[in-house]
Amino acid sequence: MNNNQDKKAYFIGGGIGSLAAAVFLIRDGGLDGKNITIYESLAVLGGSLDAGGNPQQGYTLRGSRMLTLNIYECTWELFKSIPSLTDPNTSVYEETVAFNERVKSNAKARLIDKNRAIVDASKLGFSMENRAELLKLSEASEDKLGNSCISDWFSPSFFETNFWFMWRTSFAFSPWHSAVEFKRYLHRFMQEFPNVETMTGVKRTVYNQYDSMILPLIVWLKSHGVNFMKECTVTDLDTAYELDPKTGTEKVVVKNLIYENAGTSKTIGVTANDLVFFQNGSMTDASSYGSMTTAPKFYTKEDSQGWAIWEKLAKKYPEFGKPEVFNTNIAESFWESFTVTLKDTAFFDQMEKFSGNKAGTGSQVTLKDSNWFMSFSLNNQPHYKDQPANVQVFFTYGLHPDRVGNFVGKPMTACSGEEILQELCGHLKFDYDVVFANAICIPCRMPYITSMFLPRLKTDRPLPVPKNSKNLAFVSQFVEIPDDVVFTVEYSIRAAQMAVYELLELDLKIPPITKFDKSLKVELESVVKAFH
């Protein structure tokens, strides 16, 4: 371990992957935290696991994540060693387990139809043809699936089943997304299949993921002397091939790191003994917020340059993946979310009466006939650490924001926060002036939010440590990890752990992926459910 104390490590991006990797470097690799620097373009760390705003102007949340305790192996292994901010003698993992013992999910209104009727979602709605199609895809090899779409494997009737409505909105799939990713989800979450309508296996953090996961990581890293360079944008990496004396082959070595801060460009020299971790690509790149009176602006990667470094590296080194597979089709990777801040309990009260679920126990509610295909969830309150007792917050999203609303005559992307709430009230048949009289709704457009789901080949994503890399690793949703599923916190943390252990040549075991899909009990329960 002492051999690593003098190593320096540099991180490009301050998301969960970088923060987790920094912990692994210190905890498992013996690096001195003072030799670790994390560069982040924004003024806040956390990447896609962000949360902002306040009760006066309204809270913001680009995304909200569902977790499970029986998988997410690397995530919970990490958070077993990170103290809770409320009790230093309790880990974040222990805090999360205790919270979910108190607040348990058991959705009673998973799907609502156009008549505002709660659908009996226990009936998945499969035909024999659908069951055969599902089995065929789940057993196909990834090589056979290739870069095909989900819609290539199913008849149109499959996309009208209750199962599709629920599975899709649980994980944000669309028919044009990758069949490989869909198959991986079917296997990774097979133990949740029998409870897809109640979502009893879903677990939540005490607050939003920024307050419950990111802040404890930041506090831990700061206590170990890690340097955080916020509002600093890394613009380029100077790389070259060098002979690796261990293998006798040429490998890519990062020589310099160039970043900008307050209009000034600076260069940091990097030795072959140092380490560089790069969060290539971003699902929340080029995001934009609206307000109660304005719709979000339309931004693309040219407005943020969030993909620029990966594009430069990929042109030089084919083993570093193909970013163009993921960032050139916004029409198939974007959707819109919105966060609603309430100054009274009217909406929560009416939803509890209608659904039979108290906030925090109902998981998602999907308006299955909504043109925008809206879903929302009422989390346990408070959802923010600083949230006043008289304020409530909930998160909602639409997977078809380009379509004209059922009640508001324009696409979701053109709507203000007020118009979005009017659309929601139309579906629920609530009186706007009663439930949203004191509401603040902040919509957020995200051009690349499901870009990691776009059809791709295995070689389109780099390995966490490419075989031709000496000191550069990738930690993001856009790396290749066999059998695991993107669009999860687990994917970023597993990539981080793999990258750290490989670069440092640590003889430590990474928690294996739990194979629930190989359990006879789970397989039988899934078959029974499929025929219900």
Side-chain angles (χ1 to χ4, degrees), residues 398-441:
L399 293 181
H400 291 309
D402 55 330
R403 298 180 181 177
V404 174
N406 302 75
F407 300 92
V408 177
K410 55 173 128 174
M412 187 179 185
T413 50
C415 288
S416 66
E418 181 178 4
E419 290 167 326
I420 289 172
L421 292 181
Q422 289 171 350
E423 179 77 9
L424 181 59
C425 276
H427 285 284
L428 294 173
K429 295 182 169 52
F430 288 174
D431 187 329
Y432 181 94
D433 293 330
V434 172
V435 296
F436 292 138
N438 300 306
I440 303 172
C441 174

Side-chain angles (χ1 to χ4, degrees), residues 1-8 21-36 220 224 275 500-501 504 506 508:
M1 294 292 186
N2 291 334
N3 295 334
N4 293 328
Q5 285 184 349
D6 295 329
K7 278 185 182 289
K8 292 183 179 180
V23 173
F24 294 134
L25 286 174
I26 297 167
R27 189 194 73 180
D28 302 332
L31 264 72
D32 187 338
K34 295 183 179 63
N35 290 332
I36 297 174
W220 191 93
H224 286 78
L275 307 174
V500 168
Y501 286 14
L504 294 182
L506 298 179
L508 296 172

Side-chain angles (χ1 to χ4, degrees), residues 215-453:
L215 282 181
L217 285 175
I218 293 172
V219 170
W220 191 93
L221 292 170
K222 281 184 176 178
S223 73
H224 286 78
V226 172
N227 308 294
F228 295 104
M229 301 285 286
K230 292 182 281 189
E231 296 184 281
C232 289
T233 301
V234 176
T235 57
D236 206 355
L237 291 175
D238 179 19
T239 61
Y241 276 113
E242 284 189 2
L243 187 67
D244 183 0
K246 287 186 178 180
T247 63
T249 59
E250 286 195 326
K251 291 199 172 184
V252 178
V253 177
V254 178
K255 311 282 284 184
N256 295 291
L257 181 152
I258 300 95
Y259 74 91
E260 287 185 0
N261 175 241
T264 302
S265 180
K266 297 183 180 180
T267 300
I268 302 294
V270 180
T271 73
N273 188 53
D274 297 332
L275 307 174
V276 178
F277 296 85
F278 173 38
Q279 291 195 285
N280 58 308
S282 169
M283 69 176 85
T284 49
D285 181 56
S287 297
S288 57
Y289 290 105
S291 69
M292 278 293 281
T293 56
T294 61
K297 292 182 179 179
F298 279 60
Y299 290 140
T300 65
K301 65 188 179 74
E302 283 72 25
D303 297 300
S304 69
Q305 296 300 303
W307 300 81
I309 297 178
W310 188 16
E311 289 175 330
K312 290 179 184 177
L313 289 171
K315 284 182 180 178
K316 292 177 68 175
Y317 312 110
E319 299 91 338
F320 288 4
K322 297 180 179 178
E324 66 272 15
V325 171
F326 306 99
N327 67 16
T328 55
N329 195 353
I330 290 176
E332 295 188 353
S333 68
F334 93 104
W335 41 261
E336 189 165 316
S337 67
F338 54 99
T339 314
V340 183
T341 304
L342 304 167
K343 301 294 179 67
D344 58 60
T345 65
F347 182 77
F348 274 60
D349 291 343
Q350 290 205 26
M351 273 307 302
E352 179 181 340
K353 183 178 179 181
F354 169 62
S355 68
N357 281 117
K358 289 187 176 182
T361 69
S363 200
Q364 284 176 308
V365 175
T366 293
L367 306 171
K368 77 177 192 68
D369 297 316
S370 160
N371 287 352
W372 296 347
F373 207 52
M374 283 198 292
S375 297
F376 63 95
S377 55
L378 305 187
N379 290 96
N380 187 70
Q381 303 294 303
H383 198 43
Y384 291 71
K385 286 178 67 70
D386 67 347
Q387 185 179 322
N390 66 327
V391 170
Q392 294 176 308
V393 182
F394 72 98
F395 168 81
T396 315
Y397 63 91
L399 293 181
H400 291 309
D402 55 330
R403 298 180 181 177
V404 174
N406 302 75
F407 300 92
V408 177
K410 55 173 128 174
M412 187 179 185
T413 50
C415 288
S416 66
E418 181 178 4
E419 290 167 326
I420 289 172
L421 292 181
Q422 289 171 350
E423 179 77 9
L424 181 59
C425 276
H427 285 284
L428 294 173
K429 295 182 169 52
F430 288 174
D431 187 329
Y432 181 94
D433 293 330
V434 172
V435 296
F436 292 138
N438 300 306
I440 303 172
C441 174
I442 300 180
C444 179
R445 182 179 186 270
M446 296 173 285
Y448 304 104
I449 190 60
T450 51
S451 54
M452 74 293 293
F453 277 165

